[in-house]
Each structure stands twice: as C-alpha cells, then as structure tokens.
C-alpha cells in the first residue's frame, strides 16, 4: 500500500473495482470489492466503499452486494446520480486516498489534486496489489509529504 497517506479512511470507487476482474461470463465481480475492502482493513485503513445504484443490475452476485449495502460495508449513491462525484467529494472532505483505476477526466479541472490522491491497483486471481508510489517512484515521496501525507 502506498505510504503516502496516514492510516484512516480510504474511499473506494466500488464500481470501478468491481470491473477490475470479470467472471468468465464477463460480469463485474462483487468479490473484487470484498477483496479490496479486506486488503485495506489489513493495511489499517477504514474503507468507505461507494457504488452507483446501477451496479446491482450488472454485478455477478446482486444478493451479496445488497447484503454489503444493508450492513453498510458498501454505500450506494442515490439512483440517477454520479457516484464519482460522491467518491471524490468524500475523499476530499476526509483528506483520504481514492482507491480506483478511474482517471476521473471530467473532474480534473475542478479537482487538480486527483492524481496525488488516487491509488491505482490490480487484482490478479483475487489478489489485490495496491500501487505504492514511494516504492515505484521514490522521487514522488517528497511531493506527497508536502500535501500532509507520509
């Protein structure tokens, strides 16, 4: 995990994560959301997973997703709204990283720090690997420290 953020909340773009690895039938996987959530907890973060309302119609296991929502382990954006807005706004309000592979191009002008806030990842056979900027690019670490991150 990137050491750029002190442990605390981490906002997860749940729909983006669900689409990171697909079932054999091409459906986004609720297991991806669960795996990322568990990885963040293991790393000492408090995951805030946000999904859009339409995900339940595409996901491989809508009942499991509904259970996560009922237990408030996943938060669902209101129908007809853009979940990306809630992901970005929540992360900014809490000064938290965003766990996502989404580049958020429509939001870049109004939210110039998105690249520093966003932590990309890969899921390979159910194993989550979060991008660590300090290990991948040691020169990035001083810039992160200037933004109040480790």
């Amino acid at each position: 995990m990137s050491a750029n953020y002190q442990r605390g909340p981490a906002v997860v773009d749940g729909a983006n994560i669900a689409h990171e690895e697909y079932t054999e039938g091409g459906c986004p996987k609720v297991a991806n959301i669960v795996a990322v959530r568990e990885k963040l907890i293991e790393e000492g973060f408090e995951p805030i997973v946000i999904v859009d309302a339409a995900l339940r119609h595409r996901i491989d296991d809508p009942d499991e997703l509904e259970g996560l929502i009922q237990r408030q382990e996943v938060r669902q954006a209101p129908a007809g709204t853009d979940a990306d807005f809630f992901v970005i706004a929540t992360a900014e309000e809490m000064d938290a990283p965003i766990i996502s592979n989404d580049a958020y191009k429509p939001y870049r002008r109004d939210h110039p720090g998105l690249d520093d806030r966003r932590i990309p990842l890969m899921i390979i056979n159910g194993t989550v690997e979060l991008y660590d900027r300090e290990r991948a690019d040691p020169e990035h670490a001083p810039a992160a420290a200037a933004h109040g991150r480790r």
Side-chain angles (χ1 to χ4, degrees):
M1 174 65 175
S2 177
N4 295 342
Y5 280 89
Q6 296 191 3
R7 302 308 187 239
V11 180
V12 179
D13 184 340
N16 179 269
I17 299 306
H19 285 274
E20 180 58 26
E21 188 175 70
Y22 295 97
T23 64
E24 287 183 19
C27 292
K29 295 170 61 174
V30 72
N32 294 346
I33 295 170
V34 171
V36 168
R37 190 174 180 286
E38 288 174 356
K39 174 75 170 180
L40 289 169
I41 291 169
E42 176 185 306
E43 295 281 336
F45 284 89
E46 301 162 22
I48 300 167
V49 181
I50 299 173
V51 300
D52 59 82
L55 183 62
R56 71 178 61 220
H57 302 293
R58 301 183 309 263
I59 198 94
D60 64 331
D61 191 341
D63 291 336
E64 184 176 357
L65 178 62
E66 184 60 32
L68 292 167
I69 293 167
Q70 291 298 319
R71 291 188 302 278
Q72 296 187 357
E73 294 174 19
V74 169
R75 305 298 176 123
Q76 181 176 282
T81 64
D82 182 3
D84 289 350
F85 167 82
F86 289 103
V87 167
I88 294 166
T90 302
E92 287 179 345
E93 183 176 317
M94 300 181 128
D95 191 27
I98 296 173
I99 313 301
S100 180
N101 287 332
D102 190 336
Y104 300 108
K105 289 182 182 179
Y107 295 94
R108 289 178 166 278
R109 185 171 42 102
D110 294 331
H111 305 273
L114 278 174
D115 281 339
D116 288 334
R117 186 173 299 284
R118 188 176 64 88
I119 299 173
L121 72 153
M122 289 184 70
I123 301 175
I124 301 172
N125 296 325
T127 300
V128 177
E129 184 65 42
L130 298 162
Y131 186 70
D132 186 334
R133 280 192 182 92
E134 288 183 11
R135 285 190 1 217
D137 181 9
E139 291 183 20
H140 183 79
H147 293 293
R149 299 171 194 108
R150 290 195 289 172

